[in-house]
Amino acid sequence: MTEFWLISAPGEKTCQQTWDKMNMATSQTNLSTNHKFNIPELKVGTLDVLVGLSDELAKLDSFVESVVRKVAQYMADVLEDSRDKVQENLLANGVDLVTYVTRFHWDMAKYPIKQSLKNISEIMSKQVSQIDNDLKARASAYNSLKGNLQSLERKNVGSILTRSLADIVKKEDFVLDSEYLITLLVVVPKTSYPDWQKTYETLSEMVVPRSTKLLFEDQDSGLFSVTLFRKAIDDFKHKARENKFMVRDFQYNEEEMKADKEEMTRLSTDKKKQFGPLVRWLKVNFSEAFITWIHIKALRVFTESVLRYGLPVNFQAMLLQPNRKNVKKLREVLQDLYKHLDSSATVIDASMDIPGLNLSQQEYYPYVYYKIDCNLLEFK
């Protein structure tokens, strides 16, 4: 499972004892794989500040998680055909997410522990808001480029009733620069080829005899050229439609066709140029956002543990990776182990709003508990 439970319990005689007791109760029966989760000695501040901070951190946690997921999902969208490569690019500090979480160490350079908890949380919030704004701008530019390219590409595929004819027809297929004559392009169902050959010269007056030529076929129809006098165009189109032959609205214009091709080449080149830097930006900023997210979880455990277990600071944070088959049993074992910490925990109503205890967002247990889910992608 890529799901972790980050919990804390008060230190018994020593914090090591708390760890040993939990580890013994869960890992020997294969309920979970456990790791110590190291949180440094942070500045506690006043109780009032902690209560307020606890609420703010809950909001910050869900905001940062949403940004982490957005960056991961956008990486999957950008990598289009190589989605199996997405996971390789979703790293934190150069290692896979499970490794990063299980070997978590507080980054002292980024988040100096001499600063107040409020300051640290504000640094985190600013950082991730910046990533969120940058992502919106970059995604919008790249998506617009990709959208324009796709709509041009769509014109070059599909039925000859609707697709662009620029790469199908050649200059020599047309009578050009004639005051009197014009070449039309007609789509004829394959089953009606014999009818077309028999009737096209008589669909209207002034059709040039033996002027039809098959230029292209798809699986249903063929594209024929036919030359006639300009003054007969309307009559010819009308009669063609009655016979289920469809005249395409097309005029051969070399300049226009060249411009379309150049536009497509330009968009395709621009997309390739932007692709590399965009993937690099996503990798770097995914790592930044994910690392910040796990630091926020650490801040929440610290704040909540102090609020629940009191001062001096004395608790052990522990990371459990539940065995998928034993999730229910693991909950029961932890309940037995820690029910003495809060006798009301089993009956507390999650809709009650107790400041500092964020019950509305979270299941409530007698021990501090937060979930970390490293499975960040929803493949469509």
Side-chain angles (χ1 to χ4, degrees), residues 94-323:
V95 297
D96 66 87
L97 307 184
V98 169
T99 305
Y100 179 80
V101 173
T102 52
R103 295 185 192 162
F104 174 78
H105 277 289
W106 187 271
D107 187 331
M108 301 284 184
K110 253 190 198 153
Y111 309 117
I113 57 174
K114 289 200 169 87
Q115 299 226 19
S116 71
L117 297 179
K118 186 142 181 60
N119 277 4
I120 293 173
S121 76
E122 279 167 3
I123 294 170
M124 293 172 172
S125 177
K126 266 190 200 138
Q127 245 179 346
V128 179
S129 297
Q130 185 62 52
I131 291 174
D132 192 37
N133 293 332
D134 285 357
L135 176 67
K136 282 174 191 154
R138 283 167 189 267
S140 160
Y142 189 73
N143 289 349
S144 139
L145 189 61
K146 194 168 140 188
N148 292 342
L149 183 60
Q150 279 171 340
S151 73
L152 275 181
E153 282 169 346
R154 269 198 299 274
K155 284 184 185 169
N156 287 331
V157 292
S159 154
I160 44 175
L161 285 165
T162 52
R163 62 163 290 173
S164 160
L165 303 175
D167 57 341
I168 289 175
V169 298
K170 301 188 207 55
K171 191 174 182 176
E172 51 268 28
D173 296 328
F174 295 84
V175 172
L176 298 169
D177 310 322
S178 161
E179 199 180 328
Y180 301 108
L181 294 173
I182 186 168
T183 303
L184 299 181
L185 298 178
V186 185
V187 178
V188 178
K190 281 189 171 172
T191 50
S192 307
Y193 282 9
D195 293 349
W196 168 255
Q197 293 291 359
K198 259 189 282 181
T199 59
Y200 81 91
E201 291 177 1
T202 56
L203 285 176
S204 74
E205 295 179 337
M206 302 190 179
V207 176
V208 177
R210 287 191 239 162
S211 64
T212 195
K213 195 165 117 202
L214 177 61
L215 304 180
F216 181 82
E217 288 182 300
D218 63 18
Q219 60 208 66
D220 304 313
S221 319
L223 185 72
F224 286 86
S225 61
V226 59
T227 303
L228 54 143
F229 278 76
R230 287 181 183 272
K231 58 167 82 163
I233 290 178
D234 290 342
D235 193 25
F236 184 87
K237 280 184 178 175
H238 178 66
K239 290 286 188 341
R241 203 166 35 245
E242 282 178 2
N243 285 276
K244 300 203 167 45
F245 308 139
M246 150 95 178
V247 178
R248 282 289 308 259
D249 190 12
F250 179 84
Q251 284 182 335
Y252 187 86
N253 181 329
E254 219 159 359
E255 292 302 306
E256 226 169 79
M257 280 153 56
K258 194 171 155 208
D260 277 357
K261 268 187 190 153
E262 279 168 4
E263 175 69 353
M264 196 154 163
T265 312
R266 184 186 68 77
L267 289 173
S268 182
T269 310
D270 280 1
K271 187 183 165 198
K272 280 182 194 140
K273 260 192 212 152
Q274 284 192 23
F275 177 80
L278 179 60
V279 171
R280 279 195 294 281
W281 184 90
L282 288 166
K283 273 175 82 162
V284 169
N285 287 278
F286 172 80
S287 176
E288 288 294 311
F290 186 84
I291 289 167
T292 307
W293 185 40
I294 304 306
H295 278 75
I296 289 167
K297 294 287 187 193
L299 270 188
R300 292 191 77 186
V301 170
F302 182 85
T303 308
E304 207 68 17
S305 300
V306 173
L307 284 171
R308 284 210 209 177
Y309 311 141
L311 290 168
V313 175
N314 179 29
F315 68 88
Q316 178 63 52
M318 301 165 275
L319 187 74
L320 286 63
Q321 191 171 9
N323 182 333

Side-chain angles (χ1 to χ4, degrees), residues 322-346:
N323 182 333
R324 196 188 295 271
K325 295 181 191 135
N326 298 328
V327 172
K328 193 162 177 278
K329 179 76 180 130
L330 179 60
R331 275 284 176 228
E332 287 162 7
V333 167
L334 292 175
Q335 183 66 32
D336 283 347
L337 207 52
Y338 299 123
K339 61 181 177 218
H340 65 282
L341 294 176
D342 184 350
S343 55
S344 61
T346 47

Side-chain angles (χ1 to χ4, degrees), residues 48-114:
D48 280 1
V49 169
L50 279 187
V51 169
L53 188 65
S54 176
D55 286 339
E56 280 167 35
L57 285 173
K59 290 175 194 147
L60 186 58
D61 186 350
S62 49
F63 166 65
V64 174
E65 180 179 357
S66 77
V67 174
V68 169
R69 287 181 180 281
K70 264 194 273 185
V71 177
Q73 198 57 52
Y74 194 60
M75 171 91 79
D77 295 347
V78 169
L79 288 173
E80 293 169 33
D81 302 330
S82 42
R83 287 201 156 195
D84 46 338
K85 286 205 178 135
V86 177
Q87 226 62 50
E88 296 167 23
N89 286 299
L90 297 181
L91 303 174
N93 246 353
V95 297
D96 66 87
L97 307 184
V98 169
T99 305
Y100 179 80
V101 173
T102 52
R103 295 185 192 162
F104 174 78
H105 277 289
W106 187 271
D107 187 331
M108 301 284 184
K110 253 190 198 153
Y111 309 117
I113 57 174
K114 289 200 169 87

Side-chain angles (χ1 to χ4, degrees), residues 3-28:
E3 179 179 308
F4 293 91
W5 296 357
L6 180 54
I7 70 168
S8 87
E12 314 235 341
K13 282 186 182 138
T14 64
C15 286
Q16 183 61 37
Q17 238 175 327
T18 306
W19 163 258
D20 290 340
K21 202 167 162 187
M22 186 282 300
N23 206 24
M24 190 98 67
T26 60
S27 66
Q28 286 191 337

